[in-house]
Amino acid sequence: MKKFDKERVLLAVAGPVIALVAAVVLTSFVLLASGKSPIEPYTLMFEQAGFADVQVLIINQAGVYYLAALAVAVGFRMNLFNIGVDGQYRLAAMMTAVVGAHVSLPAALQIPFLMLIAVLTGAFWAGIAGVLKVTRGVSEVVATIMLNAIATSLIGYLTLTEVWGKPLGNNQTTGVMKESGWFPGFDMGDAGEIYGFTLIAVLAGVLYWLVLNRTRFGFDLRATGASETAAAASGVDAKRMVLTAMLISGGVAGLAGLPILLGDAHTYSLSFPTGLGFTGITIALLGRNNPVGIAFAALLVAFLDKASPALDYATPVAYDKEIAVIMQGLIVIAVVVSYEAVRVWGLRRQQRRVGAELAAAAAAANDNSKKEVAAR
């Protein structure tokens, strides 16, 4: 049993390690092809990670990425590809900002109320794709991509001045939220402030693990993702599980924008970050849908994001900060390839182990037969 557990751990770790090594090697080739040092950019970025203000930025960004990746991971565990996290979290953030600007409750009620608005909005938007899938067989990939575009247009309309928008210079906002809805953070002095909502992200990861691994619902969800036919044979309603998974995924996605909204911006504007959903896919893949793995992957991607701007100001040779973007893209490619390679390798090891056990059993049976014959 211990040997089997060791092999499982080895297979779980091998994929991300191979992906990271491959991404670094390929990025180094890109640097060499451009006539620049393949080592100095990494040195510069690691130096940036030593500054307290950059560390705060990395932690804050990692919390945002972690929630987006959890939303994607919920879908992955059900064999669903929720590409609509980006639209779900932006629409949820916009609606939360609007409610937060017009409703004033005590902080003990205002913050949970705003979180509920975000969860319900994200779940509703993802639920549209879920309903289309279970009732009409529409691929969730196609549906969520289209819903992303619709969410962008809907946000543009709802933030018009004649609707809920309030112009601020050249930007269009939803107005500043009531202070009772501001989520308190952790003051780190000159380094800045760590979003208090980062703790909610950590709790979400713990809840994700508990639900998936310690509840009947989590077992049914994983079983349905592995095989809808087998799950149905055991009495699980596959369509209900698909819809439920999409609702949960959208609800978690709705929380992804709240660290920034409640902890820093306090309003939704046209400059609100976009693309978090697609980054969440990268992180969920790299973390293998495991809450701990996703945490490390979120920190890695956040590090690449926040440390790479220093490359523009390097002397005597400046490096393009897009090197970090190239590395992120290569990580995605390497993850897919390495996981498949590790899967095939693990399958072959399992086949050899089973073959060896069968051969040993056959040899033992043959010896027993010979002993019985000799005894007679």
Side-chain angles (χ1 to χ4, degrees), residues 144-165:
T144 50
I145 289 176
M146 294 299 100
L147 285 168
N148 278 343
I150 296 172
T152 300
S153 300
L154 185 59
I155 290 170
Y157 169 74
L158 294 177
T159 52
L160 290 175
T161 306
E162 54 268 27
V163 187
W164 289 325

Side-chain angles (χ1 to χ4, degrees), residues 46-375:
F46 278 115
E47 287 177 354
Q48 288 297 306
F51 296 111
D53 57 337
V54 176
Q55 292 171 2
V56 169
L57 291 175
I58 290 173
I59 293 174
N60 286 340
Q61 192 66 50
V64 175
Y65 284 162
Y66 189 70
L67 288 169
L70 282 183
V72 175
V74 170
F76 280 166
R77 297 306 293 265
M78 257 295 296
N79 204 23
L80 296 171
F81 213 142
N82 182 10
I83 303 183
V85 169
D86 201 66
Q88 292 153 19
Y89 102 84
R90 287 190 292 116
L91 188 62
M94 190 275 298
M95 290 300 300
T96 303
V98 170
V99 173
H102 293 85
V103 176
S104 180
L105 299 172
L109 297 176
Q110 181 83 342
I111 292 176
F113 177 62
L114 294 179
M115 290 173 60
L116 180 62
I117 294 296
V119 169
L120 292 178
T121 303
F124 168 75
W125 206 245
I128 296 174
V131 170
L132 289 173
K133 183 174 180 64
V134 299
T135 59
R136 291 292 181 265
V138 178
S139 169
E140 75 279 3
V141 175
V142 176
T144 50
I145 289 176
M146 294 299 100
L147 285 168
N148 278 343
I150 296 172
T152 300
S153 300
L154 185 59
I155 290 170
Y157 169 74
L158 294 177
T159 52
L160 290 175
T161 306
E162 54 268 27
V163 187
W164 289 325
K166 294 185 178 180
L168 181 63
N170 294 327
N171 204 350
Q172 192 74 5
T173 75
T174 54
V176 179
M177 300 170 61
K178 308 297 183 183
E179 288 194 21
S180 59
W182 297 12
F183 205 106
F186 304 98
D187 187 9
M188 307 302 292
D190 294 337
E193 186 177 87
I194 295 177
Y195 297 152
F197 210 87
T198 303
L199 288 180
I200 302 298
V202 174
L203 292 176
V206 174
L207 185 62
Y208 167 86
W209 184 85
L210 288 174
V211 170
L212 282 180
N213 297 283
R214 291 293 183 269
T215 66
R216 173 60 188 269
F217 171 78
F219 173 80
D220 290 345
L221 189 146
R222 289 183 284 114
T224 307
S227 172
E228 289 190 13
T229 304
S234 63
V236 178
D237 187 339
K239 289 186 176 182
R240 181 177 62 85
M241 293 305 299
V242 168
L243 180 57
T244 303
M246 286 300 294
L247 290 172
I248 295 175
S249 179
V252 177
L255 294 174
L258 296 193
I260 298 173
L261 180 66
L262 303 186
D264 183 21
H266 307 305
T267 185
Y268 186 92
S269 67
L270 299 180
S271 59
F272 205 80
T274 60
L276 295 183
F278 301 103
T279 305
I281 294 174
T282 301
I283 295 170
L285 285 172
L286 186 59
R288 300 204 70 175
N289 303 320
N290 180 282
V292 177
I294 291 173
F296 283 111
L299 286 169
L300 171 63
V301 176
F303 160 73
L304 292 174
D305 280 352
K306 298 306 178 182
S308 60
L311 298 177
D312 280 341
Y313 308 103
T315 56
V317 178
Y319 295 86
D320 296 323
K321 65 180 180 180
E322 282 73 21
I323 289 171
V325 180
I326 293 174
M327 182 175 287
Q328 290 178 21
L330 290 173
I331 286 175
V332 176
I333 298 173
V335 160
V336 175
V337 175
S338 63
Y339 282 175
E340 180 61 20
V342 169
R343 187 190 69 81
V344 172
W345 177 56
L347 183 61
R348 289 176 179 174
R349 283 179 61 87
Q350 185 178 14
Q351 290 172 342
R352 286 197 296 268
R353 184 172 63 250
V354 172
E357 291 175 354
L358 289 175
N366 188 36
D367 288 342
N368 291 334
S369 298
K370 288 180 179 180
K371 289 178 181 179
E372 290 178 0
V373 172

